[in-house]
């Protein structure tokens, strides 16, 4: 079987003639061994510093190779370079579903889950890796650190905390005021959203929901409550939009993780591949809320709740 013209593709990628590179790969995609062609192209793109093209071509190769873990693992590497941490973790899970002994996929999934904020999931993957490869002092030290971080997140999380703690949390105090009681929950209202905390029978929070009046409107408005910033295309620090700021703080406080990792989690939740959830995340589950009550137009929001799934493809 003929291979992709590697030198020609490498030269096009190095010269940033990406349109021509895509045309070259598309011409070869009609080749009888399309999966091999696309995988070779994806690996060249990855080595050439073009993770977007690499993720696209390796994803197509994976679709043509339903039993091969390698293009899924390699696509995960490209997605991690793109900053798509949640999608990278999912790609490595797909590789592991085909080959549970794939040490590279397991190591990369642990790294992606840690970057996403799921220290408990990362520790679980790293422990499984060490079971397969044997003692590694540096990795054992990292495992201890992950387990300690997971314990700290559980302690900081609003889930499992006394319900009275919700009102003093930054997620509520920066923008929300106590609303009419909705037994057994605690309800809070901001000019742009509703937040509700549902306690269990012992008065500890088991579920939090944040529902926006209009997600589109909040995405279009600048945040005036939480103070988060991001970098624009010119490298300047600019305020976050209202939705991203509120959702980031909600996930950070609800799950006990830092804001940077909460923002990565939010980015994953916004991808079509993620769906509505619920998704497993450490000691909790995370997903989308759709409010279709007759008194209002359809509203969207997020939830976090206590509960565990078996190990799953986050």
């Amino acid at each position: 079987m003929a291979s992709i013209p590697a030198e020609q593709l490498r030269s096009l990628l190095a010269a940033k003639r990406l349109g021509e590179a895509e045309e070259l790969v598309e011409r070869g995609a009609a080749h009888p061994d399309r999966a091999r062609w696309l995988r070779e192209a994806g690996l060249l793109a990855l080595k050439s510093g073009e993770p977007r093209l690499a993720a696209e071509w390796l994803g197509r190769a994976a679709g043509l190779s339903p039993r091969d873990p390698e293009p899924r693992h390699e696509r995960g590497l490209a997605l991690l370079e793109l900053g798509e941490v949640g999608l990278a973790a999912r790609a490595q899970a797909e590789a592991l579903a085909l080959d549970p002994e794939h040490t590279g996929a397991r190591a990369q999934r642990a790294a992606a889950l840690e970057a996403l904020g799921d220290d408990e999931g990362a520790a679980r993957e790293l422990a499984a890796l060490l079971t397969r490869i044997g003692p590694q002092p540096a990795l054992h030290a990292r495992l201890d650190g992950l387990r300690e971080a997971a314990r700290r997140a559980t302690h900081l999380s609003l889930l499992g905390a006394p319900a009275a703690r919700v009102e003093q949390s930054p997620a509520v105090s920066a923008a929300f005021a106590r609303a009419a009681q909705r037994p057994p929950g605690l309800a809070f209202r901001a000019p742009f959203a509703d937040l509700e905390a549902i306690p269990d029978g012992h008065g500890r929070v088991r579920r939090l929901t944040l529902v926006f009046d209009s997600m589109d409107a909040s995405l279009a408005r600048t945040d005036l409550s939480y103070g988060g910033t991001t970098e624009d295309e010119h490298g300047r620090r600019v305020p976050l939009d209202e939705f991203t700021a509120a959702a980031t703080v909600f996930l950070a406080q609800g799950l006990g993780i830092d804001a940077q990792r909460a923002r990565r989690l939010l980015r994953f939740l916004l991808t079509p591949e993620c769906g509505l959830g619920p998704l497993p995340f450490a000691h909790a589950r995370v997903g989308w809320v759709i409010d279709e009550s007759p008194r209002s137009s359809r509203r969207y929001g997020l939830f976090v709740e206590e509960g565990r799934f078996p190990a799953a493809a986050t």
Side-chain angles (χ1 to χ4, degrees), residues 203-220:
R204 296 187 174 275
V205 178
R206 65 173 179 83
R207 180 180 169 96
L208 292 162
T209 60
L210 173 66
V211 181
F212 291 85
D213 294 345
S214 168
M215 188 170 156
D216 288 340
S218 285
L219 282 164

Side-chain angles (χ1 to χ4, degrees), residues 33-279:
D33 194 359
R34 294 190 300 278
R36 177 183 171 188
W37 181 279
L38 288 164
R39 184 182 173 210
E40 288 180 2
L43 290 174
L44 273 174
L46 186 58
K47 292 173 183 175
S48 300
E50 295 295 339
R52 180 189 64 81
L53 289 175
E56 178 188 338
W57 292 335
L58 289 165
R60 290 168 63 187
L64 293 166
S65 309
R67 296 182 179 83
D68 188 355
E70 293 305 327
R72 291 159 175 81
H73 166 56
E74 292 150 357
R75 178 172 179 262
L77 299 178
L79 289 165
L80 199 58
E81 281 200 33
L82 280 173
E84 297 289 354
V85 179
L87 293 176
R90 173 161 288 187
Q92 300 299 351
E94 291 171 357
L96 288 167
L98 294 170
D99 179 9
E101 302 299 319
H102 197 305
T103 57
R106 200 166 293 280
Q108 288 297 320
R109 179 162 164 79
L113 288 176
E114 181 181 6
L116 200 63
D118 186 356
D119 293 312
E120 183 178 309
R124 184 173 56 248
E125 296 294 350
L126 193 54
L129 177 65
L130 285 165
T131 298
R132 287 166 171 78
I133 66 175
Q136 299 283 333
L139 290 182
H140 276 287
R142 183 179 164 206
L143 177 59
D144 290 341
L146 286 170
R147 285 172 171 164
E148 178 56 34
R151 285 191 288 269
R152 187 164 57 249
T154 301
H155 174 72
L156 293 172
S157 170
L158 288 175
L159 295 177
R165 199 177 112 193
V166 175
E167 194 162 5
Q168 282 75 50
S169 73
V172 171
S173 61
F176 288 82
R178 189 75 171 264
Q181 189 78 11
R182 299 179 189 168
L186 301 176
F188 304 91
R189 176 69 193 158
F192 56 87
D194 291 304
L195 190 150
E196 187 172 14
I198 305 296
D200 62 17
H202 303 287
R204 296 187 174 275
V205 178
R206 65 173 179 83
R207 180 180 169 96
L208 292 162
T209 60
L210 173 66
V211 181
F212 291 85
D213 294 345
S214 168
M215 188 170 156
D216 288 340
S218 285
L219 282 164
R221 283 195 295 261
T222 298
D223 166 53
L224 299 175
S225 302
Y226 295 103
T229 62
T230 189
E231 197 171 275
D232 68 10
E233 64 272 19
H234 305 295
R236 299 172 300 198
R237 301 305 300 181
V238 295
L240 290 172
D241 62 84
E242 186 175 77
F243 168 80
T244 301
T248 297
V249 175
F250 173 77
L251 291 170
Q253 294 290 306
L255 297 167
I257 61 177
D258 59 88
Q260 182 181 30
R261 297 197 291 174
R263 201 180 302 177
R264 290 177 189 149
L265 174 59
L266 178 62
R267 180 169 175 162
F268 176 49
L269 290 167
L270 286 165
T271 62
E273 294 90 337
C274 180
L276 295 176
L279 300 173

